[in-house]
Amino acid sequence: MAKPKKTPRPKAVTPKGFRDYFGTEVSERKHMLDQIAEVYHLYGFEALETSAVETVEALGKFLPDVDRPNEGVFAWQEDDSDWVALRYDMTAPLARVAAQYRNDLPSPYRRFAMGPVWRNEKPGPGRFRQFYQCDADTVGAPSVAADAEICAMLSDTLEAVGIPRGDYIIRVNNRKVLDGVLEAAGLPDTEECAHVRGIVLRTIDKHDKFGDEGVMALLTEGRKDESGDFTKGAGLATAQVDLILGFVNGRQDSNATTLDRLGELVGAAVTGQEGVAELREIAELLEGQGYGPDRIVIDPAVVRGLGYYTGPVYEAELTFEVTDEKGRVREFGSVAGGGRYDDLVKRFTGQAVPATGMSIGVDRLLAALRATGRIGSKAQGPVVVTVMDRDRMSAYMEMVTELRQAGIRAEVYLGNPKNFGNQLKYADKRESPVAIIQGGDEAERGVVQIKDLILGAKIAENASLEEWKDRPNQYEVPRDQMVAKVREIIESYS
């Protein structure tokens, strides 16, 4: 009789596109989220926590024309009828909440939300299928004062988490200005021009990647990439291309001259004139609050998301240089963005509801702070109370309780205490600053041994024998002075 096949053991691997986060990383993220929430709360925004799962119908954006609606999202069918999915951002759930509770919420409704989102997309270097977002939005405020406030709050938030002025810039543009430029170029927002306008929007979105030459090719005859693949162009005339490139490169020496240049480009297009007027009002409001061009500028080169937003758009970029995984020096780039999206809630209510907001990529912002050395040093672990005698566990527990009550992070070693060396190795692995030792002899004399593990490591690395003798890293103190000595050692390294 054949033996039954053994069930193979599961592989201990992280799913593709996901990763695990340990101690310091989790603590750093929590600290940053707390800092961001403090700024949002200061501005009068209220926290909102929604389910990680939404109906695919409510998400809307990723509904494909196939039988299984899971393109871009992680979706599954519920009860043989409804499809649900993990949220792909924080904005779609907000639109659902604003519609569902519209009779109960204040108007305008100011909320912030923080948490993981999921994208069913191809992962890559630094690109994961689960990541954190941190959003703040105002729903029900038609005035661009709400947009100006979001930009000011974004500036304050970046500085609060440790990005100093001069290391970032917030760039502001307006979808209406682009619409005006396209209208002036003979591409009005009509059904007949929809296809070509779509090509133009996608093309200018790639300006930072392809530059003027690549954009010009895509707007005219087409472009051949390095692999030889050819992308058909929009077929625009030279005058049309010049107008569109003039818009993308329209930033001047000051906000005032930039706005004058945009006014020239949109000409008599009413929508474009509205957009320029909105940008002018935003610039004046921010200038009046002290947010000058050293922090926030009007820049038509901000083109990301223009197909989604209906008015002002903004993007926060970090301007310092870092070295990427291929050893190339480059600017760190975008860490946050947002804009006005007056049509999103309309999907549920049938009525236009003005809304504007931003989203901060928390993981990218953390990566930026690590790249500049502003965070990322090894976190200090807990004090470890070693176990010399199993029968005296209650005494060791009493010690650790005293330390905790004094606000000192501490733990008793709970592994096999037979090999004392392993206890000290454990403390080293935990990045513990101090180990406490009390055997039977010390207990009889009413003392404890306190081992300064940080100094011990430094001495072991660098010190000569004479220096070792002159700089002991272990102290014997009376039992009732244990907490004071431990605090003294820890504070000497803070």
Side-chain angles (χ1 to χ4, degrees):
M1 183 176 178
K3 292 183 179 179
K5 291 184 178 179
K6 290 184 178 179
T7 304
R9 292 175 179 169
K11 295 180 179 178
V13 296
T14 308
K16 188 176 181 181
F18 295 85
R19 59 158 298 191
D20 301 307
Y21 297 86
F22 295 90
T24 301
E25 294 174 304
V26 176
S27 298
E28 288 172 347
R29 183 199 291 135
K30 182 183 182 302
H31 180 61
M32 175 175 285
L33 292 175
D34 289 343
Q35 290 176 312
I36 294 172
E38 187 174 343
V39 177
Y40 289 176
H41 196 261
L42 188 66
Y43 271 73
F45 286 72
E46 298 290 343
L48 171 67
E49 184 174 309
T50 61
S51 168
V53 176
E54 295 281 342
T55 66
V56 170
E57 181 183 31
L59 291 176
K61 180 183 176 184
F62 283 100
L63 273 176
D65 296 323
V66 295
D67 292 336
R68 181 175 173 81
N70 64 350
E71 182 182 335
V73 296
F74 291 98
W76 63 94
Q77 197 166 19
E78 192 92 343
D79 299 330
D80 298 324
S81 56
D82 295 334
W83 283 83
V84 294
L86 292 172
R87 65 190 179 209
Y88 60 83
D89 70 2
M90 295 293 188
T91 310
L94 171 63
R96 190 261 304 161
V97 165
Q100 184 175 349
Y101 302 99
R102 60 186 179 276
N103 294 327
D104 303 317
L105 295 172
S107 183
Y109 174 50
R110 302 152 70 85
R111 85 87 177 88
F112 69 89
M114 303 175 174
V117 297
W118 295 266
R119 304 278 174 91
N120 190 4
E121 299 172 343
K122 184 178 180 181
R127 184 182 181 89
F128 297 99
R129 289 171 164 175
Q130 175 182 317
F131 53 93
Y132 263 72
Q133 281 191 341
C134 190
D135 288 21
D137 297 79
T138 301
V139 179
S143 169
V144 292
D147 300 279
E149 181 182 59
I150 292 288
C151 292
M153 187 167 69
L154 178 53
S155 174
D156 288 349
T157 301
L158 291 175
E159 293 183 17
V161 302
I163 306 295
R165 206 168 301 179
D167 273 0
Y168 73 89
I169 195 73
I170 297 168
R171 304 187 296 136
V172 186
N173 195 5
N174 196 312
R175 168 62 192 264
K176 292 179 182 178
V177 179
L178 174 59
D179 285 342
V181 169
L182 293 181
E183 184 178 335
L187 296 171
D189 189 7
T190 62
E191 189 174 340
E192 291 77 13
C193 295
H195 177 67
V196 175
R197 282 172 64 96
I199 296 176
V200 172
L201 285 172
R202 290 190 295 273
T203 298
I204 63 176
D205 192 30
K206 299 173 183 176
H207 181 262
D208 60 342
K209 182 179 180 181
F210 295 148
D212 284 0
E213 185 177 345
V215 168
M216 185 177 295
L218 288 170
L219 291 178
T220 52
E221 299 302 319
R223 178 181 179 274
K224 183 181 290 186
D225 63 21
E226 295 176 355
S227 67
D229 290 340
F230 182 77
T231 302
K232 186 178 179 180
L236 300 184
T238 301
Q240 292 174 302
V241 174
D242 289 344
L243 192 57
I244 293 169
L245 281 176
F247 164 76
V248 175
N249 296 314
R251 182 177 170 185
Q252 307 296 309
D253 294 336
S254 69
N255 284 342
T257 53
T258 297
L259 290 165
D260 290 341
R261 173 59 176 154
L262 293 179
E264 295 171 1
L265 290 170
V266 300
V270 175
T271 301
Q273 291 174 351
E274 288 179 0
V276 174
E278 290 178 356
L279 287 177
R280 196 179 304 277
E281 183 178 353
I282 289 172
E284 290 172 354
L285 288 169
L286 290 169
E287 191 75 36
Q289 299 174 68
Y291 296 89
D294 59 329
R295 290 192 273 180
I296 305 174
V297 298
I298 304 300
D299 188 353
V302 181
V303 293
R304 294 189 182 280
L306 280 176
Y308 172 74
Y309 295 109
T310 59
V313 292
Y314 21 87
E315 187 170 64
E317 291 188 355
L318 304 187
T319 54
F320 54 78
E321 293 182 337
V322 295
T323 303
D324 65 15
E325 61 274 6
K326 295 183 180 180
R328 298 170 299 191
V329 177
R330 59 178 180 82
E331 284 193 356
F332 191 89
S334 176
V335 293
R340 180 164 287 274
Y341 50 97
D342 288 350
D343 293 336
L344 199 61
V345 182
K346 186 179 180 180
R347 292 180 54 245
F348 297 93
T349 64
Q351 299 174 336
V353 178
T356 187
M358 67 169 173
S359 179
I360 295 176
V362 174
D363 294 311
R364 273 190 61 77
L365 198 48
L366 284 167
L369 291 173
R370 291 189 189 105
T372 55
R374 289 163 187 159
I375 61 171
S377 58
K378 288 184 178 180
Q380 195 175 84
V383 171
V384 172
V385 177
T386 61
V387 176
M388 302 295 289
D389 185 349
R390 295 188 190 199
D391 295 334
R392 299 187 59 254
M393 182 60 77
S394 62
Y396 301 132
M397 288 292 188
E398 183 181 332
M399 291 181 193
V400 84
T401 299
E402 283 184 33
L403 291 164
R404 291 168 181 166
Q405 288 176 344
I408 298 172
R409 191 177 177 216
E411 65 173 87
V412 174
Y413 179 74
L414 296 177
N416 186 346
K418 187 173 182 180
N419 187 325
F420 182 71
N422 286 344
Q423 297 193 50
L424 294 183
K425 288 180 181 178
Y426 171 82
D428 286 337
K429 201 165 188 177
R430 293 283 278 136
E431 304 291 340
S432 302
V434 166
I436 293 176
I437 306 164
Q438 190 190 59
D441 176 61
E442 287 88 1
E444 286 182 10
R445 294 189 289 116
V447 299
V448 294
Q449 301 288 339
I450 298 179
K451 193 173 185 67
D452 182 341
L453 298 176
I454 298 175
L455 178 58
K458 290 179 179 178
I459 291 174
E461 281 183 9
N462 305 312
S464 64
L465 179 60
E466 289 74 19
E467 289 173 318
W468 179 282
K469 291 177 180 178
D470 290 338
R471 299 177 64 195
N473 71 308
Q474 187 162 313
Y475 310 89
E476 182 176 282
V477 300
R479 171 67 179 79
D480 60 3
Q481 295 180 21
M482 176 191 71
V483 171
K485 186 62 179 179
V486 169
R487 190 189 302 281
E488 177 189 323
I489 294 172
I490 291 175
E491 290 179 352
S492 70
Y493 295 109
S494 60

